[in-house]
Amino acid sequence: MDKIRISDLCSRLDPRYLEDMDVENETGLKPSGQRIEDLVFQKLNVETNAAGMAGKRRPMRKKTWKILLIAAVFCLFAASVFALAGGFDYFRSIFGDTAKHVEQDIQSPGITVADSDRQMTLESMLTDGYKINLIVSLKALSGEAKANTFDHEPIDLFDTKLTPNSSAEHEAALSYTCSELEEFSTENRHFYHLQLDSLENCTGWDLKLSLSQEMGGLSLDAKVESTTAARQLDIGQDIDGNLTVESIQISPLGALLIGSEKEAAGGLPAPSVDIIFLDGSHEELISSMSFDSSDDGTVLGGGSAVISDDPTSGPLVVTTYGMRNPDGKVVLAAEFGRIIRLDQVKSISVDGVEYSVK
């Protein structure tokens, strides 16, 4: 049977029969206004280009716009369109359109495990080795599982473990957050963004992702494969006669500073570190306000957070965290709220001294 597109069918109707209407969402999908708008304009471009190829352009009338908008909404609510949602869509809902900068680096492992009650799938991964972003879906296979799964807070659903290999006793110290991507969730299947932050490079490490023991401990295994480009700058700059900034690594997802102290005392040291773009704009990466001065700095922690619905608003750095090791090493990290292009970065400034990013 031939398929007929909604927009084609509507375009043949007499305008007298076209009226404004409200579309009721009965699917459980929660598409954003931006997504609907993008699909509408995509369709508009196709219609306009087709008219131009025929030798003349047809003006887009108001009635046609309404038809296309309705068609776009119907398409968004269709299960077939939902199934096509991929890594870029997930990360665009988190980082906005800046996700385009790393679209080629997004992995889609599609690893799935299930028992009689639940199905868990590792849908997508984006990492530079230190910041590990996971998109995980959780599907309830029974009514009882649905009631006992989606009522939990996202942070309580999953357990994570990162080790150099499956038999290693060493485990990475992690900062962990989890939130639901409600735009993609349906009644029986929810999607979550898990973010793991480590002060060690976990590229090649084994990741074990498990449901909490309360839900049976269902687990899957994956390998952390870093594909996101990063640049490392050798610094060797002394700060206040005590801290030596040895190197700084910067990736589209964040920055990492490694240094050493002559004497470890008080809170974590926080040199002034800025990123300078080719257009002359500056963004602060680390400053004296990045860490609580009362923190002894011996454990993973410290930092600040900036919360905004718009990932492109506010400062580039949304969280800072760090750790001081007994041997005098200091590691400080800055997490970005939006994804940057490294080819647009000119230099990194440490206490006023610029280091070129090539």
Side-chain angles (χ1 to χ4, degrees):
M1 181 172 62
D2 293 336
K3 295 182 180 179
I4 300 176
R5 295 186 300 177
I6 294 173
S7 59
D8 292 339
L9 181 62
C10 292
S11 65
R12 300 171 191 169
L13 293 177
D14 190 306
R16 292 176 299 169
Y17 303 114
L18 297 178
E19 298 294 339
D20 293 342
M21 63 175 290
D22 293 325
V23 179
E24 184 177 353
N25 178 7
E26 297 180 349
T27 65
L29 298 180
K30 301 175 182 178
S32 65
Q34 181 64 49
R35 180 153 302 172
I36 293 175
E37 183 178 326
D38 289 346
L39 188 54
V40 171
F41 277 104
Q42 180 182 3
K43 178 61 180 175
L44 283 172
N45 289 335
V46 171
E47 292 287 346
T48 303
N49 291 338
M53 291 174 63
K56 63 179 181 179
R57 292 184 181 272
R58 293 177 296 168
M60 191 60 66
R61 296 195 300 267
K62 185 176 181 181
K63 286 287 187 181
T64 310
W65 167 266
K66 291 176 182 176
I67 293 171
L68 294 176
L69 179 58
I70 292 170
V73 174
F74 274 123
C75 287
L76 281 167
F77 292 157
S80 60
V81 174
F82 175 75
L84 294 176
F88 173 70
D89 293 316
Y90 300 136
F91 287 109
R92 185 170 65 171
S93 71
I94 300 165
F95 297 107
D97 286 340
T98 62
K100 293 178 181 178
H101 302 331
V102 291
E103 184 173 3
Q104 72 281 1
D105 300 324
I106 297 172
Q107 304 166 56
S108 300
I111 302 172
T112 299
V113 293
D115 56 21
S116 59
D117 294 317
R118 300 172 184 86
Q119 174 182 294
M120 180 171 63
T121 301
L122 177 56
E123 303 281 352
S124 295
M125 180 187 300
L126 176 64
T127 177
D128 61 4
Y130 295 88
K131 289 159 288 296
I132 303 164
N133 293 273
L134 309 173
I135 306 298
V136 179
S137 68
L138 192 56
K139 183 178 181 180
L141 302 179
S142 67
E144 182 179 354
K146 176 182 172 182
N148 296 332
T149 300
F150 301 138
D151 287 343
H152 287 71
E153 290 295 323
I155 197 69
D156 298 325
L157 287 173
F158 305 97
D159 294 322
T160 60
K161 183 178 181 181
L162 276 170
T163 56
N165 58 68
S166 57
S167 61
E169 294 183 1
H170 175 63
E171 184 176 344
L174 296 173
S175 171
Y176 166 73
T177 61
C178 179
S179 58
E180 183 179 349
L181 298 180
E182 295 182 355
E183 178 179 350
F184 301 96
S185 293
T186 61
E187 184 177 0
N188 294 315
R189 190 180 186 189
H190 288 201
F191 287 75
Y192 302 91
H193 171 220
L194 283 66
Q195 182 167 308
L196 314 179
D197 294 302
S198 172
L199 295 177
E200 296 180 77
N201 189 343
C202 297
T203 300
W205 286 33
D206 293 327
L207 166 69
K208 179 175 286 293
L209 175 67
S210 308
L211 288 180
S212 66
Q213 290 299 318
E214 181 182 347
M215 289 185 288
L218 184 69
S219 66
L220 60 81
D221 297 306
K223 187 76 72 173
V224 176
E225 298 294 350
S226 171
T227 57
T228 302
R231 309 274 177 84
Q232 180 165 315
L233 286 68
D234 295 325
I235 305 297
Q237 180 178 340
D238 290 330
I239 308 293
D240 296 331
N242 187 53
L243 172 70
T244 298
V245 177
E246 298 176 356
S247 64
I248 293 178
Q249 176 184 281
I250 184 156
S251 83
L253 303 176
L256 188 83
L257 180 152
I258 297 177
S260 58
E261 292 178 292
K262 293 181 179 178
E263 182 179 356
L268 288 171
S272 175
V273 181
D274 293 342
I275 182 172
I276 303 171
F277 294 93
L278 292 177
D279 63 4
S281 61
H282 293 229
E283 288 276 5
E284 183 179 90
L285 297 182
I286 298 173
S287 75
S288 59
M289 300 296 291
S290 295
F291 299 96
D292 185 348
S293 60
S294 64
D295 183 6
D296 64 8
T298 58
V299 295
L300 181 70
S304 58
V306 177
I307 300 174
S308 170
D309 291 334
D310 181 4
T312 63
S313 68
L316 174 64
V317 174
V318 293
T319 305
T320 53
Y321 50 98
M323 184 168 59
R324 172 187 284 139
N325 295 327
D327 61 0
K329 288 289 185 180
V330 173
V331 184
L332 308 177
E335 174 193 323
F336 297 162
R338 60 184 182 270
I339 297 173
I340 66 171
R341 290 177 51 183
L342 291 187
D343 62 1
Q344 296 301 308
V345 177
K346 174 187 175 185
S347 59
I348 301 292
S349 171
V350 180
D351 270 15
V353 180
E354 286 191 39
Y355 298 87
S356 176
V357 177
K358 299 178 180 179

